[in-house]
Amino acid sequence: MCLQYMAAEEKGMEELELYVHIPFCKKKCSYCDFLSAPAEEDVQNAYLKQMDKEISAVSKDYKDVSVTSVFIGGGTPSILEASKVQHLMQQLRTHFALAENAEISIECNPGTLDAGKLRAYQSSGINRLSIGMQSADARELRMLGRIHTHKQSADSYMLAREMGFKNINIDLISALPGQKARDYERTLLEILKLRPEHISAYSLIIEEGTPFFEQYQKAQLMREKGKAQSLLPSEEEERAMYVLTKELLKSEGYMRYEISNYALDGFSCRHNIGYWTRKNYLGIGLGAASLIENVRFSNSTDLKAYLDEEFLSEWHVHRERLDLHAQMEEFMFLGLRMMCGVSSQEFYEQFSRTLEEVYGAVLEKQLKKDLIKKTDRGYSLTDFGIDVSNYVMSEYLIEKS
């Protein structure tokens, strides 16, 4: 059964989701290519001051729009002092119409949380935590460059529980250098003991520009060519971890609602679903991206430029109005990431054409190859299709004449 947030958007701007980017962290992890870095307190203060101005400026266009979710991401938002997070939330409440039942998430890292911060989050209306545990193995955490131990992770989680948080996500990474399926299984079992409401389980990608890329790019190329190497898990080992995730979490009652996301009943993440189903969302802060009424735009990724007073009149750069083809492409390759797939009715309502009119040849080909399956509402990926999802999605790009 599909989730309530997956219905086709009503005409007009009635709802909006917010993403707020805090680009600071205590230490850059070895695998991380996100827009984040350590910064002194004066830089953090200047950034938050400029963010206040951005919130005031951009909110004027959305005064009467109900904000259904807020996601404060990073970086590590939980490194901020409690009072700064409270101030940020007050600014959002002052300038936007936050819905009474809005889902409000903040990303946290173990080792940066304490009772005072958690109490401040609660008083500010934050009702969902996303904790970046990544692994329960000491060697793996050191290798990743994490600043915490598994004990600190578990302690942070239990403290949040004791203080009344009832919606917690845990982030995990698999296919780490030197990791075996049995190692990853131990991490999964440790996380399942905690019983979080939501688990995001990602396979490591070696990204250019990270220390991991310098260390492992040759091994990655060898693995992609099917050659033996000893630094990274083999494709077979990585596949075993993928199967473990799917089967263990299912056995414990976690519904897989998106390729990398699992949740107990009623706890699927609104922010995630909004992104994959192309709901209107507004990004605030350094490099933050937005999608508003089929216009994509983002802020500068240059911190110096963002902090420049003259930048106030030019918040949004890289603006692109999506044409009909681009909208249909995104509908397919984002929507197919959801386990319930894409809706034929929603496609027709949005584009006044049937899925089969636009993608008939691709759909027929992928059905025959068992990459997708026909459902009551449209089409979704098969298990095989999920395995080769990048290839599947690429076939929905429309050649421009």
Side-chain angles (χ1 to χ4, degrees):
M1 183 174 179
C2 244
L3 301 159
Q4 59 178 318
Y5 304 110
M6 297 188 68
E9 290 180 6
E10 296 182 10
K11 300 298 181 184
M13 272 283 287
E14 294 187 358
E15 294 185 352
L16 178 69
E17 300 188 350
L18 295 179
Y19 173 79
V20 181
H21 190 63
I22 306 298
F24 308 121
C25 53
K26 280 194 173 182
K27 176 179 177 289
K28 190 80 169 176
C29 295
S30 302
Y31 61 90
C32 179
D33 74 329
F34 294 153
L35 185 57
S36 61
E40 298 297 329
E41 187 172 0
D42 60 334
V43 175
Q44 294 183 25
N45 290 338
Y47 179 83
L48 294 170
K49 182 178 179 181
Q50 193 76 328
M51 185 178 281
D52 285 350
K53 296 176 183 177
E54 183 184 4
I55 289 170
S56 177
V58 301
S59 63
K60 294 173 183 176
D61 293 329
Y62 309 99
K63 281 291 185 185
D64 300 320
V65 182
S66 176
V67 173
T68 57
S69 81
V70 177
F71 195 97
I72 305 171
T76 306
S78 56
I79 69 168
L80 296 179
E81 295 173 1
S83 60
K84 292 175 180 176
V85 175
Q86 287 178 308
H87 174 78
L88 172 60
M89 283 302 304
Q90 183 58 48
Q91 288 292 100
L92 295 177
R93 290 189 183 282
T94 298
H95 293 282
F96 290 96
L98 268 62
E100 187 176 343
N101 67 340
E103 178 185 88
I104 305 176
S105 306
I106 187 168
E107 289 186 334
C108 311
N109 272 355
T112 65
L113 282 177
D114 56 43
K117 287 182 180 179
L118 290 169
R119 195 174 296 112
Y121 298 166
Q122 284 182 318
S123 68
S124 301
I126 294 171
N127 51 30
R128 184 175 184 273
L129 304 180
S130 183
I131 302 178
M133 292 193 180
Q134 314 307 358
S135 173
D137 182 89
R139 181 197 69 83
E140 292 171 359
L141 289 170
R142 288 194 300 271
M143 177 263 300
L144 288 169
R146 304 296 287 175
I147 63 170
H148 60 85
T149 64
H150 178 59
K151 183 179 184 306
Q152 287 175 311
S153 294
D155 288 348
S156 293
Y157 178 92
M158 295 310 298
L159 179 61
R161 282 293 194 223
E162 290 167 10
M163 299 196 67
F165 280 93
K166 294 179 171 60
N167 191 354
I168 301 178
N169 169 65
I170 289 178
D171 282 342
L172 296 178
I173 303 179
S174 63
L176 303 175
Q179 189 180 51
K180 302 294 183 184
R182 62 179 179 273
D183 304 322
Y184 179 62
E185 183 177 19
R186 284 194 290 269
T187 283
L188 274 178
L189 291 172
E190 286 297 315
I191 298 310
L192 286 170
K193 289 178 186 177
L194 299 174
R195 196 70 178 170
E197 285 71 27
H198 190 285
I199 296 175
S200 296
Y202 302 101
S203 183
L204 177 70
I205 299 174
I206 308 294
E207 300 283 8
E208 191 169 354
T210 66
F212 266 21
F213 186 79
E214 297 174 11
Q215 291 175 260
Y216 302 113
Q217 61 173 314
K218 290 182 181 178
Q220 180 172 249
L221 286 171
M222 291 175 68
R223 183 173 65 177
E224 289 172 356
K225 293 177 180 178
K227 297 181 178 180
Q229 51 80 39
S230 59
L231 294 178
L232 298 174
S234 66
E235 289 186 357
E236 293 76 15
E237 198 81 39
E238 186 171 356
R239 171 70 183 173
M241 296 181 210
Y242 164 80
V243 172
L244 268 172
T245 305
K246 181 174 66 171
E247 293 183 350
L248 264 178
L249 296 189
K250 182 179 180 180
S251 71
E252 292 295 321
Y254 289 85
M255 177 187 70
R256 187 184 195 185
Y257 69 94
E258 189 270 338
I259 287 179
S260 301
N261 288 282
Y262 301 77
L264 297 177
D265 187 35
F267 289 97
S268 299
C269 177
R270 282 189 210 177
H271 170 77
N272 288 348
I273 294 170
Y275 180 81
W276 300 123
T277 57
R278 303 185 69 251
K279 289 189 179 294
N280 290 311
Y281 63 88
L282 178 68
I284 296 168
L286 186 71
S290 305
L291 174 67
I292 302 292
E293 300 293 273
N294 290 310
V295 177
R296 286 200 178 276
F297 51 92
S298 59
N299 278 343
S300 171
T301 58
D302 184 332
L303 181 59
K304 184 177 179 180
Y306 183 85
L307 296 180
D308 189 338
E309 290 291 329
E310 298 301 318
F311 187 57
L312 283 172
S313 61
E314 300 177 6
W315 292 114
H316 299 133
V317 295
H318 313 302
R319 184 179 294 268
E320 175 192 9
R321 178 170 291 281
L322 302 178
D323 63 21
L324 192 63
H325 283 169
Q327 293 173 41
M328 291 189 290
E329 290 170 352
E330 287 194 357
F331 183 99
M332 296 303 292
F333 64 68
L334 292 176
L336 280 172
R337 289 190 62 94
M338 303 292 294
M339 292 301 99
C340 65
V342 294
S343 163
S344 298
Q345 180 180 343
E346 289 177 18
F347 189 89
Y348 184 79
E349 288 174 354
Q350 291 188 36
F351 307 117
S352 300
R353 298 177 68 185
T354 68
L355 268 170
E356 290 74 17
E357 282 182 83
V358 180
Y359 288 115
V362 176
L363 294 170
E364 184 178 352
K365 172 185 173 183
Q366 294 189 347
L367 284 167
K368 287 180 178 178
K369 290 186 175 183
D370 193 35
L371 295 168
I372 60 172
K373 58 187 176 186
K374 191 81 172 70
T375 68
D376 291 342
R377 67 190 300 273
Y379 299 88
S380 65
L381 294 177
T382 61
D383 284 346
F384 177 45
I386 293 172
D387 290 348
V388 291
S389 59
N390 287 341
Y391 163 73
V392 175
M393 310 307 189
S394 70
E395 295 215 307
Y396 292 97
L397 298 177
I398 300 171
E399 291 187 13
K400 311 296 191 297
S401 57

